[in-house]
Amino acid sequence: MRTYTINADSKAVLNFDKSDYTNLSREEKQEIKKYFLFSRWSKAWVSKGKYINYSVQEVIKKFNFEFKGKEEVRTFEESLEKKIERAENRVERFEQYAKNATKRAEILQSDFNKYRKDWSWLTQPYMNTSGGRSFRNHKEGVMRRYDKGFEEYKKSDYFLDRAATSQETAQQNQYLDPIYIQRQLIKVDKEIKDLEKYLPKASETINKIEEEEQKEKKLLRLEFFFDSLKRKNQEKAFLLVKLNELIENGVKVFDKKTLKNAFYIKSRGVWRKVKSVNQKTVTYLSYGKYYAKVPILEITDAVYKGDVFKIETHHLQDAFIITRMETPPIF
């Protein structure tokens, strides 16, 4: 029996017997593979797209898959926990792959490491005799295995790099960076605004459709976007919590209001004199006659009237080195 469900990631999951799949023609198998990937974990075919698009729906209709329900969509934090869990599993798996590759390399190179201590074995010429040909074949086999050992060491390095990348994913250090969080907030706010603008119009358009089959397809897609809006709001709340935690721990976060009375700002390790503050950027003098802008998100420090500091020139024109001091400056 052919059935399908919608999983927690809003993807279609096709379930049918292996014998049923085997009996399909080559063209039918290719059509399924075009829009679905086989998951060994769930032992089913999972759609490639982020949501059930029209192509996926056509495959479901063509092969007569019966709908068997929908899983509850994961919240943003649940998805993040799942992502961390998978990354941690990848770390363990890649580290084991690296150990196995290193072990294979040591075994492959063990014969040469043993024979190279004997200088006569390394320098002995090949003789055109039965014993000489036998020695030549043996030595060439040892050298081939020795070369293959280096390939295994390269595999080990590759798996260690993959493990390091997965470790970074598992640690989620990006949520300790206020610049990253603020950029993500801007991105999420835009996506929420676009969805809130799109969904009412889409709902109104779908209600005018009279053909039931087409209306059902549109509603299925619309449901995905309602779930997306819910997740984006959850992501925004999560990012705001992380940003507030950083501020409570002493991390400086600036905006137009806090930079209104700033004299100097620090960005990319250099201090600049403020000319004006805009909604998203700060304008400063560059090369004596030009004005340049820096995003407020990239500002890491600021100096205000009443702050105690010493100012020195920088090797970059119109840039400064500022050191905070105990005696007040004269403005």
Side-chain angles (χ1 to χ4, degrees), residues 30-142:
Q30 287 296 112
E31 189 171 0
I32 290 175
K33 289 179 180 178
K34 186 176 180 180
Y35 302 108
F36 294 83
L37 288 173
F38 185 76
S39 170
R40 289 181 294 176
W41 182 76
S42 59
K43 296 181 180 179
W45 291 87
V46 182
S47 59
K48 296 179 181 179
K50 291 183 179 180
Y51 58 90
I52 305 180
N53 54 34
Y54 299 136
S55 300
V56 171
Q57 293 182 44
E58 286 300 317
V59 171
I60 291 171
K61 180 184 176 183
K62 179 179 179 180
F63 292 96
N64 297 319
F65 283 93
E66 183 183 349
F67 182 60
K68 284 294 183 180
K70 178 182 176 182
E71 296 179 10
E72 186 177 351
V73 179
R74 291 193 188 99
T75 64
F76 175 78
E77 291 193 22
E78 287 173 346
S79 298
L80 190 60
E81 289 173 2
K82 190 74 175 176
K83 183 179 180 181
I84 293 171
E85 182 183 350
R86 288 175 178 171
E88 289 172 346
N89 292 336
R90 286 199 302 272
V91 171
E92 295 178 5
R93 189 165 66 249
F94 287 134
E95 286 179 347
Q96 188 59 48
Y97 290 166
K99 289 179 183 178
N100 294 343
T102 301
K103 189 175 181 180
R104 288 194 299 270
E106 291 172 351
I107 292 172
L108 288 167
Q109 294 188 347
S110 61
D111 286 342
F112 179 80
N113 291 333
K114 179 177 69 174
Y115 289 130
R116 71 178 181 175
K117 298 175 184 177
D118 184 358
W119 190 249
S120 63
W121 185 88
L122 292 172
T123 58
Q124 181 177 338
Y126 299 138
M127 305 297 290
N128 190 20
T129 62
S130 175
R133 287 190 294 273
S134 177
F135 172 74
R136 178 176 183 171
N137 293 336
H138 168 69
K139 187 174 182 179
E140 287 178 349
V142 170

Side-chain angles (χ1 to χ4, degrees), residues 191-209:
E191 291 172 343
I192 290 174
K193 188 181 293 184
D194 291 342
L195 285 169
E196 288 177 342
K197 184 178 179 182
Y198 165 78
L199 288 172
K201 294 180 180 179
S203 300
E204 186 178 345
T205 303
I206 291 172
N207 289 331
K208 294 178 181 178
I209 298 175

